[in-house]
Amino acid sequence: PIKSTMIAEQKAEATIKYAMAVISQVWTHAERMGLVNSPSPTKQVTLPKKDNKRQRYLSKDEADQLLRVLKSRSPVTHDMSILALDCGLRFGEIAALTWGDCDLNRRQLFIRDPKARANRFAFMTERVYQVLSSIPRRANSELIFPDTNGKKMDLISNSFRKTADELFNRNMTDLRLRVCFHTLRHTFASRLVNSGVSLYE
């Protein structure tokens, strides 16, 4: 009845999920206290699902335009963007890269402990090789792209968000079509597919 009522009142899917989660937490607490002895009724509720996958990727001209603006505003963000575009790396993977992971002779990057859990190698394009070869090593950090304190970055710089908003996101209300840093990874994948690489690979 709660779910049906919320749907009838046109509540957002996220609101319905949040309500079910609160009920589940309360029920679990009551079960621990011995007030109820049956599973939460929310386990029988099918929650609404929405496709939130990002669908946007950049054309070559759009990617070049983005890089041009970033180079003038934030050279570090520009370089990180090239690694995402040319190697398909996530932001977290780029932020965690150390010089020990970077083999300029073999032109390989070792991606350790990624989101998918399996360590892997990424291969440098000529552009990535040139970028990494030109970055000076910092005495206080082994990270390739440390923050100002020599620590691992938590977020991409505001320069990227502002640039993406100015170039691509004006009046874009659908989050799936907004350009964000992860769009660069999607662009890398779309280029592979367009060049004949299978989706599985």
Side-chain angles (χ1 to χ4, degrees), residues 5-72:
T5 301
M6 295 184 78
I7 290 174
E9 293 177 356
Q10 298 183 338
K11 299 295 184 185
E13 292 175 2
T15 303
I16 297 172
K17 288 182 179 181
Y18 181 76
M20 294 298 112
V22 170
I23 293 169
S24 178
Q25 289 174 353
V26 171
W27 195 278
T28 300
H29 184 66
E31 198 174 7
R32 286 184 187 141
M33 294 180 65
L35 301 174
V36 295
N37 57 8
S38 60
S40 170
T42 58
K43 294 187 182 296
Q44 306 300 318
V45 176
T46 303
L47 295 175
K49 291 183 179 179
K50 184 177 181 180
D51 181 8
N52 286 323
K53 291 181 181 176
R54 301 228 176 226
Q55 300 169 353
R56 182 74 156 90
Y57 58 89
L58 302 179
S59 68
K60 183 182 184 308
D61 288 344
E62 287 175 328
D64 290 345
Q65 182 184 21
L66 175 69
L67 290 175
R68 274 196 305 273
V69 178
L70 286 176
K71 191 166 189 176
S72 66

Side-chain angles (χ1 to χ4, degrees), residues 115-126:
K115 185 177 179 182
R117 298 196 177 121
N119 295 339
R120 70 183 193 280
F121 286 98
F123 302 95
M124 299 180 198
T125 60
E126 179 62 27

Side-chain angles (χ1 to χ4, degrees), residues 74-172:
S74 174
V76 171
T77 305
H78 165 270
D79 293 350
M80 295 177 79
S81 297
I82 286 178
L83 265 72
L85 277 169
D86 286 14
C87 299
L89 302 187
R90 299 175 176 91
F91 168 74
E93 294 167 350
I94 297 170
L97 278 176
T98 67
W99 288 111
D101 300 325
C102 177
D103 188 336
L104 290 173
N105 293 323
R106 294 184 179 179
R107 301 198 177 195
Q108 291 181 344
L109 294 169
F110 182 57
I111 313 303
R112 62 181 74 243
D113 305 320
K115 185 177 179 182
R117 298 196 177 121
N119 295 339
R120 70 183 193 280
F121 286 98
F123 302 95
M124 299 180 198
T125 60
E126 179 62 27
R127 182 164 68 168
V128 169
Y129 174 79
Q130 294 298 331
V131 163
L132 294 176
S133 298
S134 67
I135 296 175
R137 298 193 183 200
R138 290 178 52 167
N140 66 336
S141 180
E142 265 298 296
L143 293 166
I144 296 176
F145 298 104
D147 66 13
T148 53
N149 298 313
K151 305 296 183 183
K152 180 181 170 183
M153 289 187 192
D154 294 324
L155 297 168
I156 192 66
S157 77
N158 284 331
S159 296
F160 185 93
R161 295 189 191 90
K162 288 178 181 176
T163 302
D165 286 346
E166 289 172 13
L167 295 178
F168 312 114
N169 295 334
R170 292 185 188 277
N171 304 316
M172 181 59 66

